[in-house]
Amino acid sequence: MRDALKAAWKNLRRKPLSLAGLGLLASFGFIAAAAPLLARPAPNSRDPYLIPQDGYSSDPRRPDARHWFGTTEQQYDLYYGIVWGTRTALSIGVKVVFVSLAVGILVGGLAGFYGGWFDELLMRLTDVVMALPSVILAVVVVTVRGPGLDNVVLALAAVSWPSYARLVRGDVLTVKEREFVLAARALGAGDMRILFRHVIPNSIYPVLVVASLNTGAVVLSAAALSFLGLGAPVGYADWGQLISMSRNWILGASGSPLAYWHTVVIPGTAIFLFVLGWNLLGDAFRDILDPRQR
Amino acid sequence: MRRNLAPLVLSLAFAVACGKKEAPAPAAQPGGAHDKTTFVHVTIQDIDSLDPAWAYDTASHAIILNLYEPLVQYRGSSMSELEPLISEKVPSVANGLVSADGRSYSFPIRKGVKFHQGGEVTPEDVRYSLMRFMLYDRNGGPSSLLLEPVTGLASTRDEAGKLIEDVYDKVAAAVTVDGDKVVLKLSKPFAPILTVLASWAPVVSKAYGASVGAWDGSKETWKKHNNPQKTSEGFHSRPDGTGPFMLERWDSKTKEIIMTRFAGYWREPAKLKRVVVKGVDEFQTRKLMLAAGDADSIYADSLAKPLLESIDGVEVIDDLPRIDMNPTIFFVFKIDVQGNPNVGSGKLDGEGIPSDFFSDKDLRLGFAHAFDAEGFIKDVNRGKGTRASGFIPAGLPGHNPSQPNYPFDLQKAEQYFRKAHGGKAWEKGFKFTIAYNSGNQPREVIANMLKRAVESINPKFQIDTRAIQWSTFLDQSNSSKLPMFILGWAPDYPDAHNFAFPFMHSSAKYPQLQHYKNAEADALINSAMREIDPAKREKLYKRVQAIAYEDCPTIFILNAVRYRTQRKWVKGFEYNAVWPDSPYMSPFYTVWKE
Amino acid sequence: MAKFVLKRLAMLPLVLAGVTMLLFGLFQTLSPESRASLYIKDPRQLSSLEAVIREHGLRDPFHKQYLRWLRKVARGDLGYSETAKMPVTEAVRAFFPATIELSVLAFIPIMVLGVWLGTLSAVHKDKLVDQLSRFISITGYSLPSFALGLILLMVFYGVLNLFPPGRYSLESDIVVHDAAFNAFTGLILLDSLLNGEWALFVDALRHLVLPAATLTYITMALLVRVTRSSMLEELGKDYVRTARAKGLSEAAVIAHARRNAWIPVITIASILFVQLLGGVLITETVFAYPGIGRWVAQAALQLDVPAVMGVALLTSSLFVLGNLAADILYAVVDPRIRFK
């Protein structure tokens, strides 16, 4: 594995695009870490993720010295929302990847390891979930569970585990025939021990890489759910919600069609750069993983 | 194929070159809003059904009242004065058409009124229309508005959903034809009956109904047409009324309904040839259509007003008084604390609230004094509307302007909070959640204003606010899981009874959800309903409003106003707060374009 | 091969049963009162809550409700969609053509641009062209479609007034509903040509430009990537080296390799097309485009169970059939592939 990482790094270094991706991610990592310094929460605020509101007026205000990025409708400060929204995006990405990976590894591992009707059953289940357009399924899950970030995470995990399960299953099928597994079995190790100590640890690296590089796509989907009104509560620092707040303002005021450009362009750019970072990195990694290009 | 491509490319280039701003000259678009005989209204509402016995939403109702005509209607913008329509006279004790005991109403039916699909209105058609309206009785429909005063029954079915056998006989006996007249007998005197008939149960054609799969008027078949499927009867999408407009097309795919002038209308035909009501969800698109003259009037909420005020050729008609009581804040006297996320620990220990939290009057009064209604009107309603003095809105008979309401006074609020629950509430503090249905901004602001004000009184008071979906809202309010909820009431007909009953009578839904009951209020409402003398009724309602003030089960906020946005070339718009979905919709009969 | 196809088709009912049970079960986790919210929209109707629950049998156990739905489906009755305000079958007929139109109009540029950029990338691997074409496709892939859509609307509708949202304008609407207009297919672009309505054709096209462009840009990356890697594989093969050694022109070599690189591209493309048909939910919502996706989004938000179930049946069938079609195409393109 260490060799693989070394090779990957070598590969990365030669690609300016992937370096740019790394740079973007590092900046977002910094913004997330330094959020309390970059955008100070109000002293009496109970939850720093709630964007401070400067009045109740419905019309957004353009960027100025007081609000660097302007305000959205109902005067939520965009700069604050963007900075703290970085944390939200990262946490959604990490949580979804973690949960869906855990489920995927478990299902795929068990299916591949035991085979037979059990395998058949689990794989048909993945077929069913994959046959539904993932947006529809995700929307239904969030609607049923009620809007909120936790349920967004749940919904996205619910639609993304099957592909991981398939990947893991494929690898488990080959790994379980390998010598060290057979050796462990000959030594009398139990099923669970073999599965979790020998088979899974040796089958999950590809899926780990694939899944973590999906973080960008996950954040996009989460933002899309927010856009449909299924995301964070009103006023919570979440990029998708900031964009959906701009929906009524894209045609501007009479006589000045671009009056409220900032309400959509600024949060849109934030999501774009974040996802771009992941995708630039992912693109390079996919090359490394693609056996046809070795 | 190749030859065909040239004009395509050309026209494409042309379209791109001109864009929409220099769109073809107005005259080139017959049927659009630029046509002086076509009216285009753009709204957000969806039409549910065109069957007068099914429709209970304002969008459908507003269309139905342009296609069909009830027996009587409101005169101009008056909410109390009626004028005859299908009935030749408005029944009154004075003209002998209302019996002295107030239980029998006679309607002399006008002759020569034609249906769109042919045939003239007969008294038998009117009888059929009234009976069908009552016997149709779909779940969640308007039938009980008439069924209840006529038969004394709230529904044609019992609690278990089984048909009540003698309903038909009761209804048939109550509506009779007497020569040219139709006579309606009520089980008990019901003062607002004419106001009910002024917007509900319009006249439909019996012969046509039978031909499109609706009830044929016989006793044998009525059960089959009780609570039917929405689309099973032709009236759903193929209306046949006597109104000034007839249906050209209703397309739910494009959310569009088009009506054309009925040439055979019994009065002067309408001035407009065509009326288009179209659904466009995005406010900005509606606004653009209005500015471009593609729409003659649009729906827009109070927040959008500044965006509409300076458009050329567009006028904003403001301060049109409403008669709905919306929003209002309801206290729930008995909360279900079992597994309820809204009440914290479920005890009065500073980390939650107990089941009987709001049954303490001092506590309710504390909240009532902590809500800044004037501030709400100023900030959210841009200063429009006036402070409500009770549940009967200004402009309706029975409204009592001298009835006090609780002022915003945090010191007073503190006094009450200190007394509440024997001082325990003050000492321990409390914590609960105010939920409001998501997407409703005024309700969201109310929740936040209450939160901020109450929390400022005592740091131990904690209130969370949370938006929940309508489905969750229904569920939790129905199972007494919401300690406090914010909803409103839009009346079915403009009578004090239609406010007193839903807000204060213990057999109405709101008081049931609140677990609130005041026997005196119940009795007063019952007798006011049967009282025909307006002066005596007014006195009874005065007392009910005083009770509402003393008990404070509900906070009434404002007498709302709305504004209408239309092209300046629109003339003849007549505002009547009673009209469904007014001021955006109105009778198109009086409207024309210059 | 026939056996393989039959076997796969036999899976269809199983998948459909699974999909519908899954969705139905999800909705069923809500209380009957919540599910009644589809029918109780107004406080005035609150007192009918219990009656509505009873009428629709919302308190019945899961299997009873599911079987009731299934029996109706067997009779060809998918129920009534309260969000579309029409029966589900009718709504599918009304909205699906719009989605087909949009999908096709997006699919063509996705294919053309994707394959072109992918080939370009592969031929000039690691050169500036490669980096550039990959960058372009990755940026598209990283854009939130709704933000892109809103910005496009802001510029091309708000400022330039070129490409409006919706499916066609009010004027076209009158043409479409004219008695003289024959709705042969429900596809406006086709119907307008068949009826000789040029203005309508142009109008419909103008409404399609932005959503189709958005879809193209955000989905193209996938095809670029697949084409590129497939081409790289082919270009690395012996026959290409031989051909080059023999002095074959570079263009001819590339054409040759491209033919062989088609297989994975076709697979991906067919899946992509089915995905477009099944759920361009966000794009349709942003552009107020009256297709299946926009409808199902509204339906799901309002717990319109019959509508969501109906759309799920449609899209899942498409998915299974689309995959099958991809496999068959695969075999046709590459005779070496044998069906197991």
Side-chain angles (χ1 to χ4, degrees):
Chain A
M1 193 61 206
R2 180 161 297 169
D3 287 346
L5 277 179
K6 226 179 222 167
W9 172 240
K10 233 175 111 186
N11 206 321
L12 276 185
R13 265 195 331 198
R14 275 188 286 128
K15 298 187 188 223
L17 282 185
S18 31
L19 280 183
L22 264 183
L24 278 173
L25 291 184
S27 331
F28 278 111
F30 170 75
I31 294 173
L37 301 174
L38 293 172
R40 241 174 246 286
N44 60 351
S45 143
R46 251 191 248 161
D47 180 351
Y49 285 94
L50 294 178
I51 310 174
Q53 228 173 334
D54 192 1
Y56 290 110
S57 154
S58 64
D59 319 7
R61 259 182 288 168
R62 294 214 220 184
D64 57 25
R66 203 172 136 94
H67 301 286
W68 292 355
F69 288 171
T71 62
T72 64
E73 60 183 20
Q74 293 178 63
Q75 310 309 320
Y76 289 106
D77 183 55
L78 261 171
Y79 171 75
Y80 190 96
I82 298 291
V83 169
W84 284 85
T86 312
R87 284 191 172 195
T88 310
L90 273 173
S91 99
I92 289 178
V94 169
K95 282 183 195 157
V96 171
V97 166
F98 186 79
V99 175
S100 54
L101 256 183
V103 177
I105 289 173
L106 200 69
V107 172
L110 290 172
F113 188 68
Y114 285 106
W117 65 266
F118 189 66
D119 179 27
E120 189 71 16
L121 186 78
L122 288 179
M123 285 303 107
R124 292 299 80 79
L125 186 66
T126 60
D127 282 348
V128 165
V129 178
M130 289 176 96
L132 263 175
S134 51
V135 231
I136 296 184
L137 183 55
V139 168
V140 171
V141 170
V142 190
T143 321
V144 166
R145 304 265 320 158
L149 286 181
D150 290 345
N151 291 329
V152 166
V153 168
L154 194 81
L156 294 178
V159 300
S160 41
W161 66 267
S163 53
Y164 303 146
R166 285 195 171 179
L167 257 175
V168 171
R169 175 180 170 270
D171 285 337
V172 165
L173 281 180
T174 51
V175 170
K176 78 171 179 184
E177 301 301 332
R178 298 257 291 273
E179 286 148 22
F180 62 88
V181 176
L182 298 177
R185 199 177 279 286
L187 286 173
D191 271 1
M192 283 299 127
R193 192 181 160 81
I194 296 178
L195 179 62
F196 288 105
R197 289 297 294 272
H198 299 288
V199 177
I200 287 184
N202 284 294
S203 341
I204 57 169
Y205 290 112
V207 79
L208 277 184
V209 176
V210 170
S212 48
L213 294 174
N214 266 347
T215 310
V218 162
V219 169
L220 267 192
S221 309
L225 288 176
S226 269
F227 175 72
L228 290 176
L230 289 173
V234 179
Y236 194 90
D238 169 64
W239 295 340
Q241 181 183 202
L242 290 177
I243 295 183
S244 85
M245 279 181 170
S246 75
R247 230 180 139 180
N248 273 328
W249 305 97
I250 52 155
L251 293 184
S254 22
S256 101
L258 292 179
Y260 306 116
W261 63 272
H262 65 279
T263 58
V264 54
V265 171
I266 290 176
T269 308
I271 299 193
F272 168 64
L273 291 177
F274 184 85
V275 180
L276 184 69
W278 284 101
N279 284 344
L280 286 175
L281 205 65
D283 195 54
F285 265 98
R286 281 192 191 94
D287 276 357
I288 297 165
L289 288 175
D290 189 345
R292 282 176 299 195
Q293 292 181 43
R294 291 246 170 91
Chain B
M1 190 60 212
R2 174 154 299 216
R3 242 183 342 171
N4 287 346
L5 231 54
L8 163 66
V9 171
L10 268 180
S11 50
L12 190 64
F14 177 74
V16 170
C18 346
K20 200 173 125 218
K21 270 168 187 149
E22 294 92 350
Q29 303 173 24
H34 293 280
D35 184 335
K36 290 294 171 230
T37 56
T38 297
F39 190 95
V40 179
H41 174 66
V42 189
T43 179
I44 51 168
Q45 302 224 36
D46 260 346
I47 286 153
D48 190 37
S49 167
L50 295 178
D51 188 337
W54 174 285
Y56 201 16
D57 59 307
T58 55
S60 308
H61 198 193
I63 297 290
I64 284 171
L65 287 182
N66 277 297
L67 299 169
Y68 291 95
E69 290 175 305
L71 287 166
V72 292
Q73 72 175 9
Y74 299 97
R75 189 188 299 280
S77 57
S78 166
M79 287 189 285
S80 49
E81 218 180 312
L82 295 169
E83 62 184 19
L85 212 57
I86 298 292
S87 174
E88 276 188 313
K89 286 178 185 153
V90 178
S92 65
V93 179
N95 64 18
L97 293 171
V98 177
S99 66
D101 65 356
R103 286 185 52 204
S104 175
Y105 287 73
S106 298
F107 300 91
I109 303 306
R110 189 183 298 279
K111 301 211 172 50
V113 176
K114 293 196 199 74
F115 283 113
H116 301 157
Q117 309 289 338
E120 281 190 13
V121 173
T122 64
E124 185 50 37
D125 284 317
V126 175
R127 178 172 188 255
Y128 169 81
S129 308
L130 297 178
M131 286 179 68
R132 180 173 180 271
F133 187 83
M134 290 184 265
L135 295 171
Y136 189 91
D137 195 25
R138 64 120 171 160
N139 281 327
S143 295
S144 66
L145 293 177
L146 200 54
L147 185 71
E148 201 162 3
V150 170
T151 65
L153 297 167
S155 168
T156 56
R157 294 174 299 277
D158 62 16
E159 291 278 299
K162 274 186 62 184
L163 274 173
I164 299 169
E165 278 301 326
D166 65 343
V167 168
Y168 181 86
D169 293 332
K170 278 190 177 168
V171 168
V175 191
T176 49
V177 173
D178 173 17
D180 291 341
K181 288 190 196 126
V182 170
V183 182
L184 185 67
K185 282 207 180 68
L186 310 179
S187 64
K188 291 190 186 96
F190 183 69
I193 187 70
L194 285 177
T195 62
V196 173
L197 288 171
S199 30
W200 302 96
V203 178
V204 304
S205 160
K206 181 177 174 182
Y208 176 81
S211 74
V212 293
W215 180 48
D216 63 2
S218 73
K219 185 181 176 178
E220 290 69 44
T221 53
W222 80 274
K223 287 179 186 167
K224 266 202 321 214
H225 297 274
N226 178 266
N227 193 24
Q229 295 275 302
K230 188 191 277 184
T231 54
S232 63
E233 300 186 5
F235 282 123
H236 167 71
S237 52
R238 285 171 286 150
D240 177 23
T242 61
F245 291 93
M246 42 200 270
L247 182 71
E248 179 180 321
R249 164 159 54 83
W250 170 32
D251 187 343
S252 32
K253 185 177 103 188
T254 48
K255 290 193 177 184
E256 177 176 70
I257 192 157
I258 299 180
M259 298 184 283
T260 42
R261 174 160 73 194
F262 176 39
Y265 188 50
W266 60 275
R267 287 188 279 183
E268 193 78 2
K271 299 180 183 87
L272 293 169
K273 256 194 203 152
R274 218 153 181 252
V275 172
V276 181
V277 177
K278 191 174 169 53
V280 172
D281 291 338
E282 297 73 24
F283 165 70
Q284 292 276 359
T285 313
R286 294 198 300 276
K287 185 186 122 192
L288 223 63
M289 288 177 77
L290 183 74
D294 292 332
D296 295 300
S297 63
I298 62 169
Y299 164 79
D301 63 20
S302 64
L303 297 170
K305 198 181 150 212
L307 302 171
L308 293 165
E309 274 170 333
S310 53
I311 305 175
D312 267 353
V314 170
E315 63 179 330
V316 171
I317 308 170
D318 204 349
D319 294 312
L320 301 170
R322 296 291 309 157
I323 52 158
D324 40 10
M325 196 37 78
N326 182 23
T328 44
I329 307 169
F330 297 87
F331 298 111
V332 176
F333 287 45
K334 211 174 99 196
I335 308 155
D336 178 8
V337 294
Q338 285 297 316
N340 185 348
N342 301 317
V343 295
S345 65
K347 293 187 204 91
L348 197 53
D349 56 2
E351 288 304 315
I353 54 169
S355 170
D356 63 350
F357 187 61
F358 281 114
S359 66
D360 184 294
K361 191 172 152 187
D362 289 315
L363 197 87
R364 295 197 300 276
L365 292 182
F367 272 90
H369 283 101
F371 181 68
D372 184 5
E374 307 284 349
F376 173 82
I377 293 171
K378 197 172 125 253
D379 281 354
V380 180
N381 279 28
R382 301 184 192 275
K384 294 293 177 183
T386 53
R387 177 86 168 104
S389 64
F391 52 80
I392 301 176
L396 263 196
H399 170 76
N400 178 10
S402 55
Q403 168 68 48
N405 202 341
Y406 297 103
F408 176 54
D409 183 340
L410 287 179
Q411 270 169 352
K412 267 235 168 92
E414 180 177 336
Q415 285 168 20
Y416 283 111
F417 278 126
R418 281 183 183 277
K419 274 195 286 180
H421 286 284
K424 222 179 139 199
W426 182 265
E427 178 201 328
K428 296 272 185 193
F430 54 76
K431 186 180 175 185
F432 71 96
T433 304
I434 305 179
Y436 55 91
N437 55 319
S438 52
N440 191 313
Q441 215 192 341
R443 290 177 194 168
E444 179 189 332
V445 176
I446 288 176
N448 283 320
M449 285 176 73
L450 258 182
K451 169 198 163 80
R452 242 164 260 173
V454 171
E455 284 183 347
S456 75
I457 295 175
N458 181 341
K460 287 183 191 154
F461 294 173
Q462 292 175 61
I463 297 176
D464 289 322
T465 62
R466 191 156 60 95
I468 54 179
Q469 287 163 302
W470 174 242
S471 54
T472 316
F473 192 85
L474 261 190
D475 183 25
Q476 297 203 342
S477 62
N478 203 55
S479 54
S480 309
K481 289 251 158 69
L482 300 178
M484 185 188 251
F485 57 89
I486 306 165
L487 269 178
W489 181 255
D492 299 303
Y493 47 87
D495 188 277
H497 176 69
N498 202 228
F499 291 90
F501 186 80
F503 279 119
M504 294 298 291
H505 197 288
S506 66
S507 53
K509 193 68 188 180
Y510 281 149
Q512 282 176 359
L513 292 178
Q514 297 172 271
H515 302 279
Y516 167 70
K517 182 182 166 90
N518 182 312
E520 191 198 348
D522 286 2
L524 287 166
I525 293 168
N526 288 341
S527 39
M529 176 177 83
R530 284 173 211 147
E531 181 58 60
I532 305 175
D533 181 356
K536 285 186 187 157
R537 289 190 77 205
E538 204 148 314
K539 248 178 90 182
L540 293 168
Y541 287 127
K542 213 169 170 176
R543 177 65 196 132
V544 185
Q545 287 172 88
I547 293 175
Y549 174 74
E550 286 156 20
D551 283 359
C552 194
T554 306
I555 302 177
F556 304 102
I557 300 171
L558 82 159
N559 301 304
V561 298
R562 277 192 195 159
Y563 71 96
R564 173 185 165 93
T565 322
Q566 62 178 19
R567 299 288 312 186
K568 279 183 182 149
W569 59 51
V570 175
K571 304 288 168 195
F573 160 70
E574 226 164 49
Y575 177 67
N576 192 318
V578 177
W579 190 273
D581 203 20
S582 61
Y584 317 114
M585 289 287 280
S586 67
F588 287 110
Y589 182 60
T590 59
V591 173
W592 77 92
K593 283 162 75 175
E594 233 164 37
Chain C
M1 164 126 177
K3 209 172 143 199
F4 168 81
V5 171
L6 280 177
K7 201 178 149 205
R8 288 286 291 272
L9 281 179
M11 286 296 298
L12 183 61
L14 271 181
V15 171
L16 291 185
V19 163
T20 50
M21 263 196 260
L22 175 70
L23 282 178
F24 210 84
L26 277 172
F27 283 119
Q28 212 62 26
T29 57
L30 287 171
S31 72
E33 286 82 5
S34 290
R35 278 175 287 137
S37 65
L38 179 61
Y39 308 101
I40 303 283
K41 292 284 177 207
D42 190 294
R44 296 193 296 192
Q45 298 172 300
L46 280 175
S47 48
S48 301
L49 186 61
E50 204 45 51
V52 164
I53 291 175
R54 199 176 41 232
E55 178 182 342
H56 295 273
L58 300 179
R59 266 195 224 295
D60 294 344
F62 167 76
H63 66 275
K64 243 177 147 175
Q65 292 191 50
Y66 181 71
L67 286 177
R68 190 164 53 223
W69 176 80
L70 212 59
R71 267 197 293 277
K72 273 172 75 186
V73 172
R75 272 182 282 140
D77 177 9
L78 286 174
Y80 186 87
S81 164
E82 286 290 336
T83 37
K85 297 286 176 208
M86 52 183 136
V88 172
T89 39
E90 211 177 289
V92 168
R93 263 202 301 279
F95 297 130
F96 198 40
T99 300
I100 295 179
E101 220 157 29
L102 175 57
S103 301
V104 171
L105 225 66
F107 187 64
I108 295 169
I110 290 174
M111 280 298 280
V112 172
L113 280 173
V115 170
W116 179 63
L117 280 179
T119 314
L120 214 60
S121 257
V123 173
H124 305 278
K125 185 175 181 239
D126 290 337
K127 303 265 168 54
L128 188 65
V129 185
D130 179 25
Q131 304 279 5
L132 215 64
S133 94
R134 293 175 77 176
F135 185 70
I136 289 171
S137 66
I138 291 175
T139 49
Y141 185 56
S142 311
L143 272 167
S145 57
F146 44 98
L148 175 63
L150 290 177
I151 294 171
L152 287 176
L153 275 177
M154 188 163 80
V155 176
F156 289 98
Y157 179 50
V159 182
L160 302 172
N161 224 332
L162 279 181
F163 304 123
R167 193 167 183 209
Y168 42 67
S169 60
L170 205 58
E171 285 77 33
S172 300
D173 191 59
I174 290 162
V175 177
V176 173
H177 284 94
D178 196 277
F181 187 85
N182 275 317
F184 298 103
T185 57
L187 304 168
I188 291 296
L189 289 180
L190 218 57
D191 285 349
S192 59
L193 290 181
L194 292 174
N195 283 283
E197 291 282 356
W198 285 110
L200 175 60
F201 180 84
V202 173
D203 183 56
L205 205 59
R206 273 176 58 186
H207 285 78
L208 275 163
V209 168
L210 291 188
T214 306
L215 280 176
T216 305
Y217 194 31
I218 62 173
T219 29
M220 199 174 60
L222 191 61
L223 224 64
V224 173
R225 134 116 278 112
V226 173
T227 311
R228 178 177 180 274
S229 81
S230 178
M231 271 301 276
L232 280 178
E233 191 188 3
E234 288 301 321
L235 288 173
K237 281 188 178 161
D238 288 345
Y239 73 92
V240 173
R241 253 174 254 149
T242 319
R244 278 200 179 121
K246 277 185 177 165
L248 213 63
S249 78
E250 191 60 22
V253 169
I254 290 167
H256 208 77
R258 184 152 53 188
R259 205 171 313 133
N260 290 325
W262 265 116
I263 299 167
V265 176
I266 284 175
T267 320
I268 290 293
S270 54
I271 292 171
L272 197 74
F273 186 60
V274 170
Q275 274 177 358
L276 285 178
L277 284 180
V280 284
L281 212 135
I282 303 292
T283 310
E284 285 185 357
T285 304
V286 172
F287 292 102
Y289 187 80
I292 287 274
R294 181 166 185 252
W295 172 41
V296 76
Q298 285 171 348
L301 293 177
Q302 296 189 31
L303 302 179
D304 186 350
V305 181
V308 176
M309 300 289 277
V311 174
L313 275 182
L314 174 77
T315 52
S316 315
S317 314
L318 282 173
F319 180 81
V320 173
L321 296 176
N323 275 327
L324 181 60
D327 288 344
I328 295 173
L329 271 177
Y330 215 96
V332 173
V333 176
D334 187 349
R336 283 170 306 177
I337 291 172
R338 292 279 169 270
F339 290 100
K340 291 183 276 186

